[in-house]
Amino acid sequence: MLRTALRNVLAHKARLVMTVLAVGLGVAFVCGTLVFADSSAAAYRAAASKNFADTAVTVTPKDPPPGATENQPTGVLDDALARKLTDVPGVATVRPSVDGSAILNAADGTPLRAGKAWANLAAGYVPGQDGKDSRYPLVKGHAPRNGDELAVDSTTAAAGHFGIGDKVTLATDGPVMTKRLVGIVTTKDTRVTAGGTLALFDKATAQRLFASPGHYTGIDLSAAPGTDQFTLSDRVTAMLPADRAEATSGAAQAAQQATYVDTLTRGYTKLPLVFAGVSLFIGSFLIVNTFTMLVSRRTREIALLRAIGATRRQVVRSVLWEAALLGLAASAAGFLLGLGIAAVLPDILGTAQDTLPHGPLVIGPRPIVAALGVGVGVTVLAAWLPSRRAAKVAPVEAMRSAEQPPSTTRSRIRGVVGLVLLALGAGLLISLTGAKDASVGNLQSAMLGCALLVIALIALAPLLAAPVIKLTGRLTRRFGITGRLARENALRDPRRTAATASALMVSTALVAGLAVIGNSTGQALDRQAAAGLGADYVISTRTPTIRIDPAAVQRVADTSGVRTATAVADSTLFTGGHVRQISGIDPTTVNAVMKLDFVSGSPHDLGPGRIAVSTTLAREQGLHAGSRLNAAIGRGQDLKQYTVAGVYKDNPIAHDALGARTDVQKNSITPHSVQRILVRTDNGTTSRTTETRLRTAVGDNPLLTVQDRAQLVHEAAGTMSNLLTLMYGLLAIGVVIASLGIVNTLAMSVSERTREIGVLRAIGMHRSDIRRMIRLESVTVAAFGTLLGLAGGLFGAWAVGALANGAMEQYSLALPWGTLLLVCLGSLAIGVVAAAVPARRAAALSPLEAVAER
C-alpha cells in the first residue's frame, strides 16, 4: 500500500504542488515565527545588556539613601576601590566603566536610533596602563582627550555620515551639546553590534555626565583560573560598604537578563502564531476538499483494490500514507520559506520609532519539530475523514457508481449542529454588546463567540449554498446558457462548493472584521488625539526622565510667529492606592492651548492646593467640585490635602488631573521640571518654517520632539496602522490558499466532467464559451464565500466594537466602504484568476477524445 500511495502522489503532480503550497504556507508561518522568536530573543539579549562571558563579578553602586539630594555624591566606585579590588584573591583583571546613554543627530539633523533606550549607548574611554582601552580599539583618529572631543564606532559613523573633524550634536539628559569627532573605534559590545549607536567621551566628561567626578558606574572583574565566580562574588561583597555598593556574579546577571529578554519578546511571537494557525485552518479546507474529490475520482480504483482483497484498513492506510508523503514535502518547503519570513519580520514589525535589534537567525530544534509535526499532522488529520469515507464503500457499489449521493441523515445532523453553534456564537456576541467593558475576560469571550460563529457558517455552508447561489445566479444568467450552466455546476455538489468557498469565507471574514475595527479605532484615536489640544505644536521629551531646559521655554516664546508658549510639568499623583498622572500648567494660558470641557468648576480656579480632576478619576474617588482629596504629587512626597477646583471630561492632553505648574513643580522631586511646551502660533496655522524655528529654539536637541496636530494624530494612529498592515499581510496568505483551493477544485471538476465538456463541444459550444462557463462558475463560488465572510466579519466587528466603546469613549462603528468594496472586487478577481488554468484546460479538450473517455 505504501508503493500505491507513492504512485498516486507522483501521478497527480499539479494536485501535489497545490496541496504542498497550501500546507507549506501554514508551516512557513509557524516555523518563521518560532525562528523569529528565538532570533529576536538572542538579539534583545545582546542589545539589552553586555556580554557576561568574560565577567565573573560586576560591582555597581546602590541607590542613594532617601535623604540624599541630587548634588550629594553617594558613589564609592572610584580608582581607590578599583585598586583594592585588584588585591582580592582570585581577581584576574579589573575594568572600571562609565556607561550611560546619548542620542546623536546625524549630519542632516535627524536623531539616530532615538526609538529605543538600548540603542543609544554612551561610555567613557578609560585607558589602561598602556594608554588604550582594549574594549574600544581605534581604527582612525585618536581617543577623546577633553570635554570637546568625541569618538564613535564605525557603524555609527556610517549611519550618521560622520567623518574625522566633523561637529556632532548630541544630548544625554539635558541641553544639546556639540563635540568634535576625533576618533572612530570598533567594539564587540553586543549592545552596539545589535544595531545601537556608541558615543565615547573622555573619562572625566563621562564621569561628570553619568556618575560624579572621579567615580564609575560599574567595575567588571574577571576571575583567575580555578576561581569560582560565586566564591569571588562573596569575597568582593565582604570588602564593599554594604549600604553603598553591591557585587553580582555574572551568572546571576545572565539569569536576570534572560527573564528580561523573555518579557520583551513574548508579545512579538503571539500574533504571527495566531495567523499561522489561521493559515493552517484555511489550508485544511483545501486538503479535505482535495482528498474528498480524489477519493471520489478514484472510487473505481479503490473498489478494484477491495475486490482483489484489500481491507478497509489498508485503504485508509493507503490514503493516509499519501497524505503523510505530501505533508513531508510541505514541511520541507514550509521550513525553508519560514526562514525567509523570519529574516524579514524584524523589518515588518520595526518602525522608525520602535526599532528592533539586529542579529543572526537562530535555528533550534523547536522549528524543525514544529515543521514536521504541523505539516504532516495537519495533512494526515485532514485526509483522515475522506479515507474513512472511501473505506466504507462496498466494492460492488463502488463498481456501479463513481459518485455516491450525500447522506440525508448526515446533512440533517450537520444542519442541526450548525444552527446550535450559530445560536451559541451569535448569542454570546450579542450578550457582550451591552457590557462595554474591554476587559480580558470579555475579549476572550468575544473571540470565542467569533470562533463559534465561523465554525457555524462552515457547518451551514452546504445548506446555504443552494439559496445563495440561486440568488447570485440571477447575475450569471445574463451571460446566457454559459451563465446558467455555471450556476448548475456550482450547485451540483453543494458540499464541494461549500468546502471550496469556506477558505475564502474565513479570509474575507477576518479581513472585513479587522478593517472595520481598525478603521473605527483609527478614527477614534484621531478624535482623541486632537480633541483636547488647542495648541498648534507640542514640544515634548522622548522619555519621562528627560527634562526640558527652562531657558528653552523662553526661547520658544520669543520665536517669530509664536503667540503663546506654555510650559507643562508632568508628574505622578498618588491617591487612593492608585497612581495617576497630573499635569501642571499656568492657569492663565490653559484655555489658549487646551480644549477642556469642564463639567463643574473652571481652570481659573486652579492654584496652590487646588487641582482639577478628570471625570474618570472623579467617578473612581467619588469627587466633585469642592471635595477634599488626600494625595501626593511626585514619588516619595508626603500626602497633602487638595481641594477639587473642578471636574473636566477625560482629556489625553491634560491627563488624569490638572494643577497649577508652580504647585506641581514644588511638590515634585525635581523642581522646575518641564516635560512639554504647548505652542500657539499667531495665525493658528503650521508650516515647515515654523517647525524649523521651534527646533532651533530648543537647540535641535535630539531628546525632544516637535510635532504639530497632524503629526500627533498620525503618531496616535501609527501603532494601529502598523498592526493592521501586518495583519493584512499575514491574512493575504489565507487568500492565496483560498485561491489554490478554487484552482484545485475547478481543475479536478474539469477532469470529472471531461465527457460532459466533450458533449457540449460536440453540439456546437465554442471554446470561448467553455472558458466563460468555467470562469463564471469560479466567480460564483468566490461570491458565495465572500458574502458569507462579509456577513460574519461585519457582525463580529459590531459585537467587538461595543467592547471597544467602553475602553475608548470616542469609539463608534465606522465602516470602511472603500476597503470593503476592494475586498469584494478582490474576491471576484480571485475567482477569475483561479479559473484561468482550469478554463484553458477545459477549452483545449478535443470533443471526440472527451466523449470517448471513460
Side-chain angles (χ1 to χ4, degrees), residues 237-463:
T237 301
M239 58 86 59
L240 293 175
D243 59 336
R244 303 181 68 185
E246 60 184 347
T248 308
S249 66
Q253 294 180 79
Q256 295 171 1
Q257 172 182 294
T259 303
Y260 174 63
V261 169
D262 179 67
T263 303
L264 283 175
T265 59
R266 192 177 300 157
Y268 289 109
T269 63
K270 292 182 179 179
L271 186 63
L273 276 179
V274 169
F275 285 95
V278 172
S279 299
L280 289 172
F281 181 67
I282 297 173
S284 65
F285 288 104
L286 173 57
I287 301 168
V288 171
N289 215 21
T290 298
F291 280 95
T292 300
M293 297 177 68
L294 175 66
V295 169
S296 177
R297 178 70 176 169
R298 288 165 43 197
T299 302
R300 293 179 179 274
E301 176 186 331
I302 294 173
L304 180 60
L305 291 174
R306 293 292 312 280
I308 62 176
T311 64
R312 290 184 176 182
R313 182 176 298 178
Q314 287 178 314
V315 172
V316 172
R317 194 177 299 163
S318 174
V319 177
L320 294 182
W321 269 115
E322 185 175 346
L325 293 174
L326 288 173
L328 282 173
S331 297
F335 180 77
L336 295 177
L337 183 59
L339 297 182
I341 292 174
V344 300
L345 270 180
D347 295 327
I348 296 175
L349 293 175
T351 65
Q353 291 79 27
D354 190 16
T355 53
L356 297 180
H358 304 306
L361 290 181
V362 177
I363 304 174
R366 191 172 57 158
I368 299 174
V369 173
L372 293 174
V374 171
V376 178
V378 170
T379 309
V380 171
L381 286 176
W384 180 77
L385 187 60
S387 69
R388 296 277 297 179
R389 192 175 301 162
K392 290 180 179 179
V393 178
V396 175
E397 294 177 359
M399 293 294 289
R400 290 175 181 171
S401 176
E403 186 173 354
Q404 301 298 318
S407 170
T408 305
T409 303
R410 185 179 301 160
S411 298
R412 290 176 179 174
I413 294 175
R414 182 174 188 142
V416 171
V417 172
L419 289 174
V420 171
L421 292 175
L422 182 64
L424 290 174
L428 181 58
L429 290 175
I430 292 174
S431 67
L432 292 172
T433 56
K436 292 189 177 183
D437 178 14
S439 63
V440 175
N442 283 341
L443 289 176
Q444 291 176 345
S445 298
M447 293 178 63
L448 176 61
C450 291
L452 290 175
L453 184 65
V454 170
I455 297 173
L457 290 177
I458 293 172
L460 294 173
L463 305 179

Side-chain angles (χ1 to χ4, degrees), residues 13 19 221 242 289 296 306 384 386 410 444 454 458 491 504 528 572 587 824 830 849:
K13 296 181 177 61
T19 308
L221 310 176
N289 215 21
S296 177
R306 293 292 312 280
W384 180 77
R410 185 179 301 160
Q444 291 176 345
V454 170
I458 293 172
L491 290 172
L504 189 58
Q528 180 174 304
T572 51
C824 295
I830 288 171
E849 293 178 359

